[in-house]
Amino acid sequence: MVRADLHRDFCRHEGRRDEASRRPRRNGNLRPLQGRLLSPAAHSQPEADWPPPVEILNENGASDIVLICEHASNHIPASFERLGLAPSELQRHIAWDIGAAEVARELSRQLDAICFLGTYSRLIIDLNRPLDSTTSIPVRSESTDVPGNIGIAPEDRDRRVSLIFNPFQDHVARHLDARTSQGRKTRLVAIHSFTPVFLGARRPWHAGVLFNRSREFAQNLIQGLGREAGLIVGANVPYVIDRQEDYAVPVHGEDRGLPAILIEIRQDLISPDVLEGHSLWATRLARALRS
């Protein structure tokens, strides 16, 4: 369910300069494509091309789990001209976490948990990066240059922040703060997916559980998943939590004193090509999170 009030807020919003913004660096001799984030009202079909920046599922869910799926969508508004990329590139991991949204949706249903999903490609702006990270608006992702992000004007960057990044984080923050004021137990879980091969290196894990301070929460989940024979689940693989490069766990979780972890699932196990793969993994995770 996309809340109607979010769309109204999104259409009314006027971008303001973020003092923390930094201009992305130029990459080699590539010619910059000027990325533009225009008002939704400038489009003939604003609701389709400029959806609200967050989709909220199961807003009144009773679970103590709060789900976040920042890389749920590969949507790029038409005015960005695909950031200069071929259409096939937007189906790759560089544009979104393949299968993560489906797992998050089913997990939300099984746990009766609220879930916040991003609605724009991370190539526009990454919702799980601090704004001062060089990968917040990437000029290169894996081995692919992103022409439309090279040399963008500060005001264009600020619009991405004010229309997409800030509203998403504000809705998550308000919900978490409300739970705290109500005395509700809360555990934060971010859902992501990773590629089976990265820059030529094969990754053997089926899933990874990333954590920093929430070791007990993470280890309990790893042990729960490990009860299923044949599953390879690692701690802090294929990435690690880093405050300089992550947002949800350190900012929404640790800064509030909440148990917070990030789950990475290998995307060939949950892609749309795998029949019921997302449902199987959601069931696994729901069982382990309840134990």
Side-chain angles (χ1 to χ4, degrees):
M1 176 184 71
V2 179
R3 285 172 42 183
D5 61 312
L6 297 186
H7 182 69
R8 290 195 298 271
D9 292 344
F10 187 65
C11 290
R12 285 198 303 263
H13 191 88
E14 295 181 359
R16 290 185 292 271
R17 181 72 178 266
D18 187 324
E19 293 300 326
S21 64
R22 296 181 184 174
R23 186 171 181 171
R25 301 170 183 169
R26 288 183 180 270
N27 189 1
N29 297 317
L30 289 173
R31 180 172 177 266
L33 249 178
Q34 292 302 317
R36 299 181 303 279
L37 193 58
L38 305 178
S39 165
H43 298 269
S44 58
Q45 293 182 317
E47 292 188 23
D49 203 35
W50 292 89
V54 57
E55 180 182 359
I56 304 175
L57 304 177
N58 204 6
E59 190 166 6
N60 298 314
S63 175
D64 67 319
I65 298 290
V66 172
L67 298 169
I68 299 179
C69 188
E70 304 99 318
H71 303 153
S73 174
N74 63 348
H75 177 65
I76 296 179
S79 61
F80 281 95
E81 299 174 345
R82 299 193 307 273
L83 296 173
L85 297 168
S88 60
E89 300 285 14
L90 303 186
Q91 302 305 313
R92 295 175 50 211
H93 179 77
I94 65 171
W96 60 337
D97 279 359
I98 296 169
E102 289 76 15
V103 172
R105 291 176 187 278
E106 178 61 17
L107 188 57
S108 171
R109 187 191 68 80
Q110 292 195 28
L111 290 176
D112 189 23
I114 190 170
C115 181
F116 298 87
L117 299 103
T119 59
Y120 290 85
S121 171
R122 62 165 152 228
L123 293 176
I124 297 293
I125 189 165
D126 196 319
L127 297 173
N128 192 40
R129 296 288 184 274
L131 292 176
D132 58 359
S133 167
T134 57
T135 55
S136 170
I137 298 177
V139 297
R140 185 175 178 86
S141 184
E142 297 182 14
S143 59
T144 302
D145 292 308
V146 186
N149 285 343
I150 299 169
I152 64 172
E155 57 268 24
D156 289 334
R157 180 192 183 279
D158 292 345
R159 291 191 187 101
R160 302 189 197 193
V161 172
S162 62
L163 293 178
I164 299 174
F165 185 90
N166 285 345
F168 182 92
Q169 310 302 349
D170 288 348
H171 277 87
V172 174
R174 282 198 296 269
H175 177 76
L176 293 174
D177 290 344
R179 294 174 72 100
T180 299
S181 67
Q182 295 162 9
R184 294 182 64 183
K185 178 182 176 182
T186 299
R187 294 181 292 165
L188 187 68
V189 177
I191 303 295
H192 291 247
S193 69
F194 66 96
T195 57
V197 178
F198 180 71
L199 298 179
R202 187 162 296 279
R203 292 158 154 177
W205 314 280
H206 298 116
V209 180
L210 281 56
F211 63 95
N212 183 28
R213 298 177 189 169
S214 302
R215 178 178 297 275
E216 182 179 0
F217 183 16
Q219 292 293 348
N220 287 341
L221 179 60
I222 292 170
Q223 290 172 13
L225 293 171
R227 295 190 183 100
E228 185 172 340
L231 275 188
I232 303 174
V233 181
N236 286 325
V237 292
Y239 313 108
V240 297
I241 297 295
D242 179 353
R243 183 173 285 272
Q244 303 304 312
E245 293 296 329
D246 289 275
Y247 195 91
V249 168
V251 175
H252 289 310
E254 294 175 348
D255 287 355
R256 288 179 172 80
L258 301 175
I261 60 173
L262 187 153
I263 299 171
E264 291 274 3
I265 307 169
R266 209 174 69 201
Q267 64 185 214
D268 61 316
L269 304 176
I270 56 174
S271 74
D273 299 332
V274 180
L275 185 64
E276 299 301 323
H278 69 280
S279 180
L280 174 63
W281 272 93
T283 299
R284 282 174 175 149
L285 291 172
R287 183 167 55 240
L289 286 166
R290 290 190 187 106
S291 63

